[in-house]
Amino acid sequence: SKGGGQWEFFDLPEQWEITYGELTFHLKPFSFKHTGLFPEQAVNWDWFGNKIRHANRPIKVLNLHKAKGLEYECVHLPYFSEPMVKYHTSYVKSISWYHIDPEALPGIDPECVPPLMPLPNRASNKNMPALKADAEKWETEQKTDALNVAYVAFTRAVSELCVYVDKTGGRRKEGSATKGEPVPSIGEYLKLAIKAVTPGYLASEAVPGGAREWMVPLSPCLRDVDGGGAEFIMGEPTVPRREPADEAGAPVGKSVDDGISLPATYEVNDRSEICATMDFEDTTDFDFANDRHRGTFLHGVLGRVNHMSDLDLALERQAYRYRLSEDDTAECRRLLAGALADPRVRPWFEGFRRAVNERPLTGPQSLRRPDRVVWLADGTIAVIDYKFGAHNLAAYREQVRDYVSLLADAGHKGAQGFLWFPLKGEIVRVV
């Protein structure tokens, strides 16, 4: 190949295959001057292959955007030394529209200065007065996006989270503002944050009193290791759980749909695209005594409940996010457990064939999101909308009719629609 990502072909096929053990690789010449295969990684292929073969359970490898809304007992996150800001390079293009400030270009007729120009995103743009404002805005947006993705990654773990940072200074990239200046990585910010959360900091006025009970000092768990690195360990590693067994000692599987039996450790996700909540405004001014706030909270808990047994975990996670007191959490558990115990409601949460929560339904000019759609054991379909506020039956009924109509358009005809008022113990049949 030539510099700049140009290939000179000598009867090279557009794509070809090679094999390594049980693996088959599909190769083709990429524009950034390689074929996508690095033989020195063979030791990693062997190691992962051995781990997967002996895990005796499905292994899921997802990017962070596909993992939104999902949860796993143990999550491993590599590559946290990658730079938070990806500048324009000869291999990876990054171009944005910049507002040009004519006042920063003395000697040039303002009428000759275009209001917007597409320019490469380089760190040096911050040194140019005409571009400085937009350059700093773009860089801030890059860092914010990286932190949001990191938040999603961290919150996928239920019991154990392993983050790998091979160096905290970031990677030195072409286009740095100063030659040799490292581009900050999330690993660098993570280490600084851990070091800052000391017992003294938590006792200081910088931490609101109500937040202290939800925080623990992190810095004592950070220690230096040989070779100049550092290690942060809190808690204990998880231990794989044994599958439950019947009297004969055989593993007990999960029954899914038409009697299909899966291993007890197998997870079934009905939704291929689930968005994690990234908004924090609803928790900032949350007041449990406010009827609307409390209804929103309880609605969010039910949105996480697929089976009856999910209530405690769903409530625990929602209560932690909203920093709910133990007394208020207990009150929510009493209210929701009582609502779910209603014999009319039980078939919606137990013994069903399939259920989806808040799955979008797309119409010709609309997008609807019913709270729950359940394929019941008797073959019927129930569409349920949860209501915690004041009655507005006319509007509510119209909503549910839209849901049922969209389901019918998708081939699921004959669905029944219901309005459920959990706190009042009322169920209104709409369709």
Side-chain angles (χ1 to χ4, degrees):
S1 68
K2 299 179 180 178
Q6 300 296 319
W7 285 80
E8 186 175 350
F9 292 95
F10 298 95
D11 297 324
L12 191 65
E14 182 177 344
Q15 180 173 309
W16 66 99
E17 294 183 356
I18 68 170
T19 60
Y20 174 81
E22 299 176 354
L23 302 176
T24 299
F25 297 91
H26 301 275
L27 305 185
K28 60 182 179 180
F30 286 93
S31 61
F32 33 93
K33 301 191 298 185
H34 63 68
T35 61
L37 179 67
F38 301 91
E40 65 271 19
Q41 295 294 324
V43 63
N44 291 326
W45 306 335
D46 293 339
W47 184 82
F48 275 112
N50 184 62
K51 287 287 186 183
I52 293 171
R53 279 190 292 272
H54 292 87
N56 295 321
R57 59 181 175 83
I59 302 296
K60 297 179 181 178
V61 180
L62 306 172
N63 64 37
L64 295 180
H65 298 284
K66 281 292 184 182
K68 288 179 178 179
L70 305 181
E71 295 176 339
Y72 301 95
E73 286 293 318
C74 181
V75 173
H76 291 259
L77 300 175
Y79 307 124
F80 267 65
S81 298
E82 288 295 304
M84 299 176 70
V85 180
K86 303 297 178 67
Y87 293 110
H88 180 90
T89 70
S90 57
Y91 305 117
V92 180
K93 309 299 182 185
S94 176
I95 297 174
S96 296
W97 286 91
Y98 279 77
H99 293 87
I100 310 299
D101 181 7
E103 295 183 1
L105 299 172
I108 299 179
D109 184 352
E111 295 295 328
C112 298
V113 178
L116 287 170
M117 286 186 65
L119 297 171
N121 291 305
R122 302 185 186 278
S124 56
N125 290 355
K126 294 186 297 183
N127 300 331
M128 304 179 188
L131 308 177
K132 180 179 174 64
D134 277 5
E136 290 180 343
K137 179 182 177 182
W138 175 84
E139 187 171 293
T140 299
E141 290 172 348
Q142 289 278 299
K143 291 179 179 179
T144 301
D145 289 345
L147 291 173
N148 284 339
V149 172
Y151 168 81
V152 172
F154 283 16
T155 52
R156 298 314 91 205
V158 174
S159 301
E160 183 174 0
L161 174 66
C162 303
V163 181
Y164 300 91
V165 183
D166 58 3
K167 55 180 178 295
T168 57
R171 186 176 289 181
R172 287 174 170 79
K173 299 287 284 186
E174 175 184 341
S176 293
T178 304
K179 185 177 181 181
E181 177 187 346
V183 179
S185 71
I186 295 180
E188 182 176 12
Y189 282 92
L190 185 60
K191 185 176 181 181
L192 290 173
I194 291 172
K195 292 175 69 174
V197 185
T198 63
Y201 169 76
L202 296 184
S204 70
E205 296 181 357
V207 179
R212 291 194 181 98
E213 62 177 305
W214 301 98
M215 301 177 68
V216 294
L218 302 179
S219 59
C221 300
L222 183 68
R223 67 181 186 89
D224 294 330
V225 297
D226 294 340
E231 185 176 60
F232 173 79
I233 299 178
M234 175 174 281
E236 298 292 335
T238 58
V239 178
R241 295 193 296 265
R242 292 182 178 275
E243 294 182 359
D246 58 20
E247 294 180 358
V252 177
K254 295 179 181 177
S255 179
V256 178
D257 288 349
D258 296 320
I260 301 172
S261 183
L262 298 174
T265 54
Y266 198 98
E267 295 182 28
V268 177
N269 296 299
D270 288 316
R271 300 162 68 181
S272 62
E273 183 181 356
I274 312 175
C275 293
T277 298
M278 298 297 295
D279 296 325
F280 298 97
E281 289 80 1
D282 57 341
T283 66
T284 304
D285 300 318
F286 178 74
D287 180 8
F288 187 74
N290 181 291
D291 290 342
R292 185 175 64 83
H293 290 189
R294 184 169 61 252
T296 300
F297 176 87
L298 294 172
H299 193 286
V301 175
L302 280 182
R304 291 174 171 264
V305 174
N306 197 37
H307 295 84
M308 296 279 198
S309 58
D310 298 333
L311 175 59
D312 284 343
L313 180 59
L315 178 57
E316 177 184 339
R317 292 186 177 279
Q318 193 82 336
Y320 180 84
R321 184 170 187 271
Y322 282 81
R323 298 179 178 178
L324 215 61
S325 69
E326 291 185 5
D327 290 343
D328 289 341
T329 302
E331 175 65 10
C332 291
R333 183 177 289 106
R334 183 188 68 79
L335 292 171
L336 294 178
L340 292 170
D342 187 329
R344 300 170 297 170
V345 171
R346 184 170 291 273
W348 297 342
F349 293 91
E350 289 294 341
F352 54 82
R353 298 182 59 184
R354 183 189 178 200
V356 290
N357 290 342
E358 299 182 1
R359 170 74 66 84
L361 295 172
T362 305
Q365 294 180 335
S366 63
L367 181 68
R368 297 288 186 267
R369 196 185 300 270
D371 290 328
R372 186 171 178 85
V373 181
V374 189
W375 285 256
L376 299 172
D378 62 5
T380 60
I381 303 173
V383 181
I384 307 105
D385 224 31
Y386 314 146
K387 299 300 179 185
F388 289 89
H391 282 53
N392 186 359
L393 286 181
Y396 295 164
R397 287 175 183 272
E398 190 63 29
Q399 272 187 324
V400 175
R401 289 192 187 98
D402 283 347
Y403 301 155
V404 172
S405 176
L406 288 172
L407 273 174
D409 292 343
H412 302 286
K413 300 183 182 299
Q416 300 175 351
F418 299 90
L419 290 168
W420 180 31
F421 297 85
L423 301 187
K424 299 178 181 296
E426 296 180 14
I427 297 176
V428 179
R429 170 78 179 270
V430 177
V431 181

